[in-house]
Amino acid sequence: RLASNFFAGLGFKNGLLGLNSIPNPANNLNLNTKMQLYTGYVKFGFNKYHNENVFSTFALNIGYNSSNFTGVINPKNRPDLIKTYSSMAIEPEYSINFAIEENFSIGIFLSYNYMPTVFNPNNIALQDVTSLTGLKQTTATSFINFGFGFYYGIGKKFPRRNK
């Protein structure tokens, strides 16, 4: 905690995006490519306490994402595939948290992850296995996260915590 209900911290998120076995009858291939995301970030936020054991967090995560692709199909044996993707990441986040211990809570969160680096589907040969018609290929990468998280406060305890 920095002051009052404001805080700063470090975080790490791991994610998995996938195409989940999309069949492609034109060339008899099942596209099962996955993008594994690893993001380290600095978090700045504000906690609003609803009662002694429940609080909301409004935060901004700023960091760096490094991703790699697995299950890439390369039917034309292109030697120039790039199976990595990296970008700065900016992520506003809201969470509702439930205090379990004096400095530990669990909760659920919703966030919007924005990465200004454009994803190029040609890097992993998607054009060789499926149609890219209608896919925006010149805009930033972004997605919505929903998940489970935990908070561990180092040194300081939650205010007014029941025993």
Side-chain angles (χ1 to χ4, degrees):
R1 211 169 331 150
L2 297 174
S4 187
N5 292 339
F6 291 93
F7 69 90
L10 300 175
F12 178 80
K13 287 187 181 183
N14 182 336
L16 181 65
L17 303 174
L19 297 176
N20 206 13
S21 298
I22 297 173
N24 189 336
N27 54 18
N28 202 24
L29 294 172
N30 281 329
L31 190 56
N32 198 20
T33 302
K34 304 275 191 262
M35 180 181 188
Q36 298 176 349
L37 296 99
Y38 304 97
T39 306
Y41 57 91
V42 175
K43 176 180 270 196
F44 301 98
F46 174 80
N47 290 329
K48 178 180 180 350
Y49 290 86
H50 304 293
N51 63 42
E52 294 174 348
N53 299 317
V54 180
F55 63 97
S56 290
T57 300
F58 302 90
L60 179 65
N61 304 329
I62 301 172
Y64 187 77
N65 170 268
S66 179
S67 300
N68 62 53
F69 294 90
T70 60
V72 173
I73 297 173
N74 188 6
K76 295 185 179 178
N77 294 319
R78 295 180 189 269
D80 58 342
L81 293 187
I82 301 171
K83 295 183 184 178
T84 60
Y85 170 83
S86 300
S87 181
M88 179 181 176
I90 302 166
E91 182 179 26
E93 178 181 302
Y94 170 77
S95 66
I96 184 86
N97 305 283
F98 307 93
I100 303 298
E101 299 277 335
E102 289 182 334
N103 57 352
F104 180 75
S105 72
I106 60 172
I108 55 174
F109 71 90
L110 179 67
S111 68
Y112 175 75
N113 191 317
Y114 174 79
M115 295 184 283
T117 303
V118 175
F119 166 69
N120 184 349
N122 296 318
N123 289 347
I124 57 172
L126 281 182
Q127 75 280 5
D128 294 343
V129 293
T130 191
S131 172
L132 300 180
T133 304
L135 181 66
K136 292 182 182 178
Q137 297 183 46
T138 58
T139 60
T141 303
S142 62
F143 50 89
I144 295 174
N145 286 311
F146 175 75
F148 170 80
F150 69 91
Y151 169 90
Y152 181 77
I154 299 173
K156 299 207 176 185
K157 311 291 185 208
F158 291 124
R160 306 179 329 246
R161 175 80 176 116
N162 281 343
K163 300 259 177 197

